[in-house]
Amino acid sequence: MSIDAVQQLVALLREAKAVPRLRANAVGPSSIYDPLYRTVIIGLALRLCGKKATESEVTLAGPRLKLFQFVAVHRHLLPSLRGWVTAHETGRRPNLEEWTSFPRGYVADSLYERIVTYLVATGELRPEGKNLVGSLDARCLLGRLVVAVDANSAFEGERSTLIELSQTRITLGMLGA
Amino acid sequence: MAIGAFPGAGAMAAPGGITTRANRPFQVDRGSASFLGYGVWPKGSDHDRCGEALRRPLVPAQFAASRAAPPTDDRAPKEGGLSPRGEYARKLGLLTGDAFEAEVVTAFQQTLSGFQRVPDKPHGDGGLDGISHGFTHAYCCYGLELQPAPGTLTAALRKKIVRKFKDDLLRLFELKRVRGAMKDCENTVLPKVLGLPKITTKFKVIRLIANVFEDNQLIGDLRTAFEMFRKASKRRFIAADCELTIWGPVDVANNTAVSEQFLLRVEHPALFDVLRIVTAAVDTHEPADQDKFNAKFDDLASRLPLARAAGIESLRATFKRAWSRSILLNERLSGTLPNLHQQVEGARARAATDALIASSKANSDPLDLLEKSREGLRQQLVELVKGGLPPDVRDDLADAETGRLIGECPLDWRSVS
């Protein structure tokens, strides 16, 4: 866009006696950086991709959780992930481009780290080796959030992505863990 | 963080796109998303959880620290005593593989007007990465992938580099080794690159460029091989008086027009990849749900004489393109560099708030809002990547985000009904 485009638009608005308005509340950061939204996705990932640990707890390997929740909020990465998994299944080692095309963003996802630290500190999650164990009981935060999501039929896209991921064979070895 | 019911849960679900608080989905390009990563892990990444493959630095730290001594340069040091050229050389020496080759080629393209990159498709590059000076200078690059010791010993590195460049030279000289003897081996790619048989220009200089060049024995080893190949070859592509030079990162830095953009490229290769991919994709991108965007320009056209219609249409196209660029940038950044994307999002929100406050002051012209928004974006974006964004990249991002303000709902000029 040339530097004059804005000035030209302003000149035309002035001529038309139009008054521009800005709704500041509509310029907020994307919800993918909203800690509560990401907490919800972590809860959904645990429920949809985790395994039952005890009567009320589910467990999921930390590297998988980090990967799954990232792809759930960046669904356009799913085709890249599928390609990467297929390459592993067919025994063809993915080349550098395919390898780095996917995990760079997920590795650098520091918001996930901060949220998990918070959830561990508040007792919502418990590390057990490489796994994270959490309760989805309605008395816990994660449980309440997941129940609320279900009640509102919210995050359909994220949920369908997580369901697909739960059926995709991604080993810890593939993630280098 | 508030605990309990989350705001706007229902509105956040936006099938087909990344959900946003205001139900403004980023349009998601479902085409091939090929992010060329260069193996520079952002600070704060979780190495513990990423495992061995991700934990292993591409360049062993101890070795990296000793590499690429700063070149002599009379320009003012940037910081910490290293001049921009020295800093560039050091960072360039840390790149490996395709990333190193791509950076060297780009550096020469931006320095030598006649520099020609040689793609490796469909049947390889024939041993060449670039050509210049009227197709008389040939360039071969090698970004050695470094392994932990003992592979990092000087002698071991030299042998690897010699082996790679000997292979390149053998192809240029159309030779192959058979039981220690040299045999002719036709290079079927180079004639197509050079335009043979109609054009018979021969190489007068062959420049071998490696990311590691500290051992002076490398010169002797390669020169010996070069002379041996020259005698054995029919030299279909090589002039009789062809010269051989070997360069390292310092030589590249001293012989190219190092700018801020050069430095940013080697410091943030992934960001430049995103910008490059977005630039390539923007021509064919169409934002989803353009109704409100078009309604704004239709409204403007209805208020003005017909003579202004062409100008309005031109602006509509300009801002739509900027909006597309913003959508693509946000998609790519969020998936590739989420921490940087988060900063961009924050910068955008702060700029909008600042513009709103400034335009709300008494005696302010409401029409200043647009320009104030753009200026605010530029000021906020200056802080990104530690203030390292070159002005043209910063302005490009600011223009794209201004387009997004108009493309999406925040900025409007239609009458409130």
Side-chain angles (χ1 to χ4, degrees):
Chain A
M1 185 167 56
S2 73
I3 194 164
D4 290 322
V6 167
Q7 291 165 350
Q8 285 173 26
L9 180 60
V10 169
L12 288 173
L13 290 172
R14 196 180 297 280
E15 187 180 342
K17 295 185 170 52
V19 180
R21 305 174 307 280
L22 184 68
R23 289 199 295 123
N25 59 352
V27 200
S30 162
S31 61
I32 59 176
Y33 302 113
D34 181 328
L36 193 53
Y37 167 69
R38 294 294 284 272
T39 308
V40 169
I41 300 302
I42 288 171
L44 284 174
L46 276 172
R47 198 193 66 179
L48 296 171
C49 308
K51 288 180 181 170
K52 201 167 182 179
T54 65
E55 195 57 43
S56 61
E57 289 182 322
V58 286
T59 178
L60 184 60
R64 277 205 201 96
L65 178 59
K66 184 172 185 177
L67 174 67
F68 290 175
Q69 58 88 37
F70 190 79
V71 178
V73 297
H74 298 91
R75 277 168 285 155
H76 59 288
L77 293 176
L78 203 50
S80 298
L81 178 64
R82 282 197 207 105
W84 181 67
V85 171
T86 305
H88 270 279
E89 285 172 350
T90 55
R92 186 176 63 85
R93 187 190 164 103
N95 64 32
L96 187 67
E97 183 177 333
E98 286 171 304
W99 165 245
T100 51
S101 70
F102 178 72
R104 179 190 291 278
Y106 118 81
V107 170
D109 184 11
S110 61
L111 181 59
Y112 165 83
E113 304 298 339
R114 298 200 297 269
I115 292 171
V116 166
T117 302
Y118 170 81
L119 293 174
V120 169
T122 55
E124 290 286 330
L125 289 178
R126 185 177 77 251
E128 271 189 9
K130 289 179 179 175
N131 290 357
L132 285 168
V133 181
S135 173
L136 296 179
D137 189 284
R139 288 167 294 183
C140 303
L141 169 66
L142 286 175
R144 285 208 307 277
L145 291 175
V146 170
V147 166
V149 168
D150 287 341
N152 288 281
S153 299
F155 306 127
E156 289 296 341
E158 289 87 338
R159 279 197 288 187
S160 65
T161 305
L162 287 168
I163 290 167
E164 178 172 345
L165 288 170
S166 71
Q167 295 160 355
T168 307
R169 182 176 155 74
I170 299 174
T171 64
L172 291 182
M174 287 162 68
L175 297 176
Chain B
M1 180 170 58
I3 297 175
F6 43 92
M12 277 195 269
I18 296 169
T19 48
T20 68
R21 184 186 293 279
N23 201 16
R24 292 179 287 108
F26 300 158
Q27 190 183 348
V28 174
D29 178 8
R30 296 188 182 278
S32 61
S34 174
F35 307 126
L36 297 174
Y38 287 171
V40 178
W41 304 112
K43 285 179 183 174
S45 61
D46 178 12
H47 288 208
D48 285 334
R49 291 181 194 278
C50 299
E52 189 58 34
L54 303 179
R55 195 158 51 235
R56 178 173 61 81
L58 291 180
V59 179
Q62 188 182 5
F63 181 71
S66 68
R67 290 175 53 196
T72 53
D73 185 11
D74 54 2
R75 290 169 59 178
K78 189 184 179 189
E79 59 182 41
L82 268 190
S83 67
R85 279 189 197 284
E87 187 67 16
Y88 178 68
R90 193 179 70 78
K91 295 277 170 56
L92 182 63
L94 297 176
L95 296 181
T96 60
D98 292 344
F100 176 76
E101 292 180 17
E103 176 53 34
V104 170
V105 166
T106 305
F108 280 118
Q109 280 177 322
Q110 295 188 354
T111 304
L112 303 172
S113 58
F115 189 89
Q116 175 61 57
R117 178 176 69 89
V118 180
D120 61 1
K121 289 177 180 170
H123 303 299
D125 56 18
L128 278 184
D129 293 308
I131 311 168
S132 72
H133 295 74
F135 279 49
T136 60
H137 285 37
Y139 299 79
C140 307
C141 300
Y142 183 35
L144 178 66
E145 299 280 357
L146 296 161
Q147 301 297 326
T152 51
L153 295 175
T154 306
L157 291 174
R158 189 185 68 241
K159 283 177 186 169
K160 283 183 185 176
I161 295 168
V162 168
R163 195 181 310 134
K164 161 68 169 69
F165 281 143
K166 273 186 179 175
D167 287 345
D168 286 345
L169 289 173
L170 282 169
R171 282 193 284 172
L172 294 178
F173 279 105
E174 295 192 293
L175 293 169
K176 67 176 177 183
R177 283 197 187 126
V178 181
R179 296 187 190 118
M182 293 293 167
K183 299 284 182 188
D184 291 337
C185 179
E186 185 182 358
N187 186 328
T188 56
V189 174
L190 268 187
K192 294 171 187 166
V193 174
L194 300 175
L196 265 63
K198 290 184 179 173
I199 303 170
T200 55
T201 314
K202 292 190 175 184
F203 294 128
K204 293 178 178 172
V205 174
I206 296 176
R207 192 154 285 144
L208 307 176
I209 304 169
N211 59 345
V212 183
F213 180 31
E214 294 176 333
D215 184 350
N216 56 21
Q217 194 179 332
L218 186 67
I219 304 170
D221 288 357
L222 286 170
R223 184 173 160 73
T224 306
F226 182 78
E227 290 303 329
M228 187 170 67
F229 298 160
R230 176 151 60 181
K231 283 175 186 164
S233 169
K234 290 177 181 170
R235 290 185 284 102
R236 196 154 58 118
F237 314 119
I238 315 287
D241 57 349
C242 180
E243 295 175 344
L244 178 76
T245 57
I246 297 133
W247 281 10
V250 171
D251 307 289
V252 175
N254 279 336
N255 288 280
T256 51
V258 175
S259 65
E260 282 178 328
Q261 203 161 8
F262 276 49
L263 279 170
L264 188 68
R265 254 196 335 257
V266 292
E267 284 174 12
H268 302 281
L271 173 60
F272 266 82
D273 278 338
V274 167
L275 294 172
R276 183 174 52 75
I277 290 167
V278 166
T279 300
V282 75
D283 286 335
T284 53
H285 182 265
E286 280 290 325
D289 192 9
Q290 299 177 27
D291 292 350
K292 285 182 181 171
F293 173 80
N294 284 324
K296 290 175 197 173
F297 283 92
D298 291 344
D299 174 79
L300 186 57
S302 70
R303 297 191 196 192
L304 291 170
L306 203 58
R308 296 277 187 259
I312 293 170
E313 286 312 304
S314 170
L315 285 176
R316 190 198 301 258
T318 302
F319 283 108
K320 194 171 89 174
R321 186 181 166 82
W323 181 23
S324 279
R325 192 165 172 76
S326 168
I327 291 169
L328 291 167
L329 270 169
N330 278 285
E331 275 176 17
R332 303 296 183 198
L333 284 180
S334 70
T336 315
L337 299 164
N339 296 333
L340 177 62
H341 182 239
Q342 193 173 359
Q343 290 176 38
V344 172
E345 290 269 302
R348 193 169 61 94
R350 286 193 297 275
T353 307
D354 289 349
L356 192 67
I357 291 169
S359 63
S360 302
K361 287 178 181 169
N363 302 323
S364 69
D365 183 350
L367 287 160
D368 286 345
L369 182 62
L370 263 165
E371 290 202 68
K372 283 199 168 81
S373 296
R374 184 174 61 179
E375 279 312 307
L377 280 163
R378 285 179 177 170
Q379 285 170 15
Q380 292 288 340
L381 292 171
V382 163
E383 302 300 322
L384 293 184
V385 293
K386 296 178 184 171
L389 272 186
D392 56 337
V393 175
R394 178 205 62 193
D395 292 351
D396 197 30
L397 289 172
D399 283 352
E401 288 301 320
T402 307
R404 181 178 172 184
L405 287 178
I406 296 171
E408 295 177 2
C409 50
L411 209 149
D412 207 343
W413 54 77
R414 289 172 295 170
S415 302
V416 181
S417 56

